[in-house]
């Protein structure tokens, strides 16, 4: 059976593989956004970070020959966009959502502008760790090729969760996010905390972009992100601002996205638009199941401009 | 200053006169008249000009037009198949004075070209896709179309010769007639080598979905498919995924052999520079533009990438023999009795449809041996 068809077993395998392969950008962006929103700001511009990160990573990896330098460049580019967002929002009466949308366009725009020469060349890729060496099946081995960035993302989720609930700095972030007045009374530098949170979030989103261009699907082009950054921002609401739930949501989304192609490959040929919409349908259903008119969303930071 | 201070009444008249001249001049300016006399030609792309695929193939054609004397080329990329393309076309006519516009994406034609063209009879709108209907559509519209399925038929022969599992994969965007024809011709070409071969189709739903395309390629490879070809705008991701997982690939739109030095078999490519310079020359010489321009391998509108290192000698001989028949003009891909993959006879026995037959351009079936369906 090693080199032949998997048949219906291909579907769960594709979902597992998809969860591992396609979830990383969602994971990084939603963790970054989770931290930013915990500090009381919404940065809708992370789609721009993702695209700009993907482009910078690819360009730097191609020019320097080192994909890890590319990852750093992607993070730095994302951090710069985050800094811009934090700086603009530090002025009174500036709406963070509007700034975010503007930065999303800006990030994508400069990525397209500078990215033109890098669409054709092939850049060195990030390495993957083979967790499937035990298996005799080439398909399983391929599904368990796990990228290092995914492993790092797996580590960041509990770390961020621990940071927010167990450290003094985490408490500071949450206080700043819940009440500007209370934070001010305690002497916390509100704008600085938010700036650091937004820049860190921007860094993570940029790294998510590096995964897109340097591992999976593994090349730079203008349609690369196709809205994944926006979905990831929505995932934070879905995850009720908890980093561990962001991880589960990202895995769910990556796996559900593989459903459409996998079903077609085993001969379920009808309704592929419907199956391709599976991640979104799933999100809607889960949102409906977890929402209640009786109470507000748990975990929502009080300073977010959508709640004010 | 002096005039207005001393004689106020004539100065009022003078101002009125000047104003009327300015109005007149500005009215003249707004008409699309160009001082230099250069013919303005517009190109509109649905994606990036450098996508290693569909749009790049067209942009290479635009580059060839740029090199012609007396022509000014204007281009706009990333224009979606919505009202946006109508705005693009109108501003190319009104602001740039374009005499000839090439909206290059399939979805631009109906309803967008059809509703803009009647408003500007002085400009020709030529669309890539072969949808023009004589008598029904505006006289200044037209379409051109390459029988790229001929190149896909050749690619099918090569794929059939290279496949060990007898299972081919086709990653497709949307089930439009041109797409179905490519899938069918690819399959029929492969079946001419090995009658039992099958082609598994995956529709991704849109022209550029890199993550979904990579997922589709992985799913197909997991099912034991060992040659994949595609009809999406930017085949780079699929070709690279195939190479990484060690199976064969066959390219589309442009030559992608550089991306997969080991597994690239061949590919079906466009030759737009020839088509576009031809149209512009006709326009410059004042000749009427054809409403429908068609051609395949013989006319040089499509071609195949050079064979990759994995293609065997026997397969090359078979592919070249078929190519020679196309060049001679006596190759017929679609002939009876041909059944679709639901068992219905789509072309009865003893009937054959040559490449130019208009019926082939409204193809709505997948031939026997293709696993997939045309519905959404």
């Amino acid at each position: 059976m090693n080199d032949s068809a998997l048949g219906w077993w291909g579907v769960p395998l594709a979902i597992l593989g998809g969860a591992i392969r396609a979830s990383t950008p969602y994971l990084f962006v939603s963790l970054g956004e989770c931290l930013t929103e915990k500090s009381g700001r919404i940065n809708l511009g992370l789609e721009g970070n993702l695209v700009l990160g993907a482009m910078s990573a690819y360009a730097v990896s191609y020019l320097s020959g080192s994909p890890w330098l590319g990852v750093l460049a992607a993070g730095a580019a994302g951090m710069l966009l985050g800094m811009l967002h934090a700086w603009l929002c530090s002025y009174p009466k500036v709406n963070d959502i509007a700034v975010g949308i503007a930065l999303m366009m800006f990030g994508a725009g400069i990525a397209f502008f500078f990215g033109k020469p890098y669409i054709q060349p092939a850049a060195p890729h990030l390495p993957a760790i083979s967790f499937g060496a035990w298996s005799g099946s080439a398909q399983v081995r391929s599904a368990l090729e796990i990228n290092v960035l995914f492993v790092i993302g797996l580590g960041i989720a509990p770390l961020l969760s621990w940071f927010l609930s167990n450290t003094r700095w985490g408490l500071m972030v949450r206080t700043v996010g819940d009440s500007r007045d209370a934070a001010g009374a305690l002497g916390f530098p509100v704008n600085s905390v938010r700036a650091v949170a937004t820049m860190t979030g921007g860094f993570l989103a940029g790294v998510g972009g590096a995964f897109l261009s340097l591992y999976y699907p593994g090349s730079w082009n203008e349609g690369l992100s196709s809205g994944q950054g926006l979905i990831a921002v929505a995932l934070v609401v879905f995850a009720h601002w908890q980093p561990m739930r962001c991880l589960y949501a990202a895995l769910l989304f990556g796996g559900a996205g593989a459903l459409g192609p996998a079903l077609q490959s085993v001969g379920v040929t009808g309704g592929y638009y419907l199956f391709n919409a599976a991640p979104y349908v799933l999100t809607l259903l889960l949102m409906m199941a977890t929402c209640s008119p009786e109470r507000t969303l748990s975990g929502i930071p009080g300073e977010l401009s959508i709640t004010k | 200053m002096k005039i207005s201070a001393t004689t106020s009444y004539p100065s009022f008249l003078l101002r009125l006169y000047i104003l009327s001249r300015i109005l007149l001049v500005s009215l003249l300016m707004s008409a699309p008249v160009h001082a230099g006399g250069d013919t303005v030609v517009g190109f509109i792309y649905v994606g990036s000009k450098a996508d290693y695929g569909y749009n790049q193939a067209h942009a290479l054609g635009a580059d060839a037009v740029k090199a012609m004397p007396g022509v000014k080329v204007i281009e706009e990329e990333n224009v979606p198949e919505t009202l946006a393309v109508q705005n693009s076309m109108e501003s190319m006519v009104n602001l740039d004075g374009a005499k000839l516009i090439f909206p290059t994406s399939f979805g631009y034609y109906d309803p967008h070209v059809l509703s803009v063209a009647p408003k500007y009879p002085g400009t020709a709108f030529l669309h890539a896709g072969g949808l023009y209907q004589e008598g029904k559509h505006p006289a200044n519209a037209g379409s051109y179309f390459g029988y790229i399925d001929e190149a896909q038929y050749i690619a099918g022969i090569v794929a059939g010769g290279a496949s060990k599992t007898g299972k081919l994969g086709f990653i497709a965007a949307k089930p439009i007639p041109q797409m179905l024809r490519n899938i069918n011709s690819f399959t029929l070409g492969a079946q001419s080598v090995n009658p039992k071969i099958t082609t598994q189709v995956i529709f991704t739903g849109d022209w550029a979905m890199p993550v979904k395309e990579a997922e589709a390629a992985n799913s197909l490879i997991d099912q034991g498919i060992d040659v994949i070809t595609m009809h999406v705008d930017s085949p780079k991701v699929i070709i690279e995924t195939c190479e990484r997982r060690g199976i064969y690939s066959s390219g589309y739109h442009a030559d992608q052999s550089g991306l997969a030095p080991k597994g690239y078999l061949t590919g079906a490519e466009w030759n737009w520079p020839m088509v576009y310079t031809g149209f512009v020359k006709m326009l410059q010489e004042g000749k009427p533009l054809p409403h429908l321009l068609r051609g395949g391998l013989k006319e040089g509108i499509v071609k195949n990438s050079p064979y990759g290192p994995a293609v065997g000698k026997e397969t090359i001989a078979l592919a070249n023999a078929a190519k020679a028949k196309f060049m001679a003009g006596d190759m017929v891909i679609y002939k009876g009795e041909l059944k679709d993959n639901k068992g219905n006879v789509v072309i009865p026995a003893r009937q054959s449809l040559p490449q130019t037959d208009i019926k082939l351009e409204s193809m709505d079936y997948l031939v026997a041996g293709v696993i997939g369906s045309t519905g959404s």
Side-chain angles (χ1 to χ4, degrees), chain B residues 126-253:
Chain B
L126 298 179
H127 172 259
L131 294 173
Y132 187 79
Q133 287 174 19
E134 199 71 51
K136 237 171 124 186
H137 290 170
N140 58 332
S143 43
Y144 51 94
F145 184 65
Y147 300 123
I148 195 152
D149 67 307
E150 295 180 356
Q152 282 288 23
Y153 186 85
I154 305 286
I157 295 177
V158 174
S163 173
K164 289 183 190 73
T165 60
K167 294 206 254 178
L168 313 178
F170 199 116
I171 298 173
K174 298 176 181 183
I176 60 171
Q178 196 192 342
M179 176 86 70
L180 301 177
R181 190 168 170 179
N182 275 337
I183 299 170
N184 289 337
S185 293
F186 180 77
T187 308
L188 291 172
Q191 285 173 346
S192 76
V193 181
N194 170 7
K196 277 194 257 171
I197 218 154
T198 59
T199 304
Q200 172 75 55
V201 182
I202 290 188
F203 290 107
T204 60
D206 218 331
W207 297 109
M209 311 274 285
V211 176
K212 198 142 279 157
E213 287 155 16
E215 279 305 322
N218 277 313
S219 298
L220 288 173
I221 298 166
D222 285 346
Q223 294 300 327
I225 276 153
D226 63 354
V227 185
I228 291 181
T229 189
M230 72 297 292
H231 183 163
V232 298
D233 273 359
S234 186
K236 190 180 178 200
V237 163
I238 299 172
I239 305 259
E240 285 180 334
T241 307
C242 291
E243 185 76 352
R244 224 170 289 147
R245 292 199 58 181
I247 69 151
Y248 299 126
S249 56
S250 180
Y252 195 59
H253 294 311

Side-chain angles (χ1 to χ4, degrees), chain A residues 6-27:
Chain A
L6 275 180
W8 275 91
W9 279 108
V11 177
L13 188 71
I15 293 173
L16 172 73
I20 294 169
R21 286 189 297 253
S23 65
T24 312
Y26 294 119
L27 178 60

Side-chain angles (χ1 to χ4, degrees), chain B residues 258-281:
Chain B
L259 296 172
K262 274 186 272 170
Y264 194 80
L265 297 175
T266 181
E269 297 176 33
W270 299 102
N271 188 11
W272 292 127
M274 196 197 83
V275 177
Y276 287 143
T277 51
F279 273 128
V280 174
K281 197 167 271 169

